[in-house]
Amino acid sequence: MNSIPEFAELLAATTKSAVHLEMRDAYYSNPRFEAWQDGGRVDWDDRASWWRPFHQDIANAVDRGVTIRRARIISEPVTDYIRWEHYQTRANLEAGEHVRWLPRSQAWDLLVPGSDLWIFDGRLMRAHHFSGDGEWISKELCDDPAVVDQHAAAFERIWERAVPHDQYEVK
């Protein structure tokens, strides 16, 4: 595939499901994360201050009947970045996502993909590539049914074992 559509375009074309797998303990620099490190907290009553176009894209898809699940494989004790992600996951939940956490120590016997990814309707996968320090490198799209099915099966095994967000306590 030559051109890779933006996430919003892929999600807008999704009719049934989207799953997202995240496996890094830290990602690229983020001003919201840095503000949180400095003691800044979200005013959850002021939705305009934290609601982003991404959240609206998720909410629009959920309103169309799309189920969106996000699983995060994490190391424990967690990094500050994961502690912040756990804190700000409320925004994902309010947009309509289902989020689960799987400690890496509980995933040791699972075969997991080599990259973070999204799978749309079980037929199209977008893999995300990051540098060692979490900086964004590239993305690629795959519609090979055998490859997408392998990754979808891996996601399902991770999802089954992962802890729902409201039951996971950061350590």
Side-chain angles (χ1 to χ4, degrees):
M1 302 186 145
N2 296 336
S3 175
I4 299 177
E6 292 301 317
F7 171 79
E9 184 180 342
L10 292 168
L11 188 60
T14 301
T15 60
K16 296 178 193 122
S17 67
V19 299
H20 188 192
L21 178 60
E22 295 177 305
M23 298 182 292
R24 297 190 54 83
D25 289 318
Y27 290 87
Y28 48 87
S29 178
N30 181 317
R32 292 179 296 136
F33 168 57
E34 293 161 6
W36 178 85
Q37 285 182 304
D38 291 337
R41 296 298 179 258
V42 174
D43 178 356
W44 294 109
D45 293 329
D46 180 11
R47 183 174 168 148
S49 71
W50 56 266
W51 191 259
R52 305 227 172 331
F54 169 83
H55 300 117
Q56 191 60 53
D57 292 339
I58 296 293
N60 291 345
V62 169
D63 287 347
R64 292 192 321 272
V66 176
T67 299
I68 301 177
R69 297 179 294 155
R70 176 187 305 256
R72 293 177 170 139
I73 298 177
I74 54 159
S75 299
E76 291 179 322
V78 300
T79 63
D80 280 348
Y81 195 94
I82 294 300
R83 193 174 307 283
W84 170 73
E85 276 195 332
H86 189 270
Y87 166 77
Q88 64 84 34
T89 292
R90 178 175 171 179
N92 301 82
L93 300 173
E94 292 206 17
E97 283 189 43
H98 303 275
V99 180
R100 292 188 179 183
W101 303 82
L102 181 59
R104 208 170 301 283
S105 63
Q106 295 175 27
W108 69 270
D109 59 338
L110 298 176
L111 295 177
V112 298
S115 298
D116 287 13
L117 57 86
W118 277 92
I119 299 175
F120 303 94
D121 286 335
R123 61 173 183 71
L124 185 64
M125 181 176 73
R126 187 171 106 164
H128 297 174
H129 304 293
F130 297 90
S131 67
D133 61 358
E135 292 298 322
W136 176 265
I137 295 176
S138 65
K139 60 189 173 199
E140 59 187 287
L141 215 51
C142 176
D143 62 0
D144 178 329
V147 173
V148 175
D149 287 350
Q150 284 179 324
H151 287 78
F155 180 88
E156 291 305 324
R157 286 189 298 277
I158 293 162
W159 184 258
E160 289 169 8
R161 194 172 290 183
V163 178
H165 176 75
D166 63 348
Q167 296 172 25
Y168 180 74
E169 295 181 30
V170 292
K171 297 175 183 168

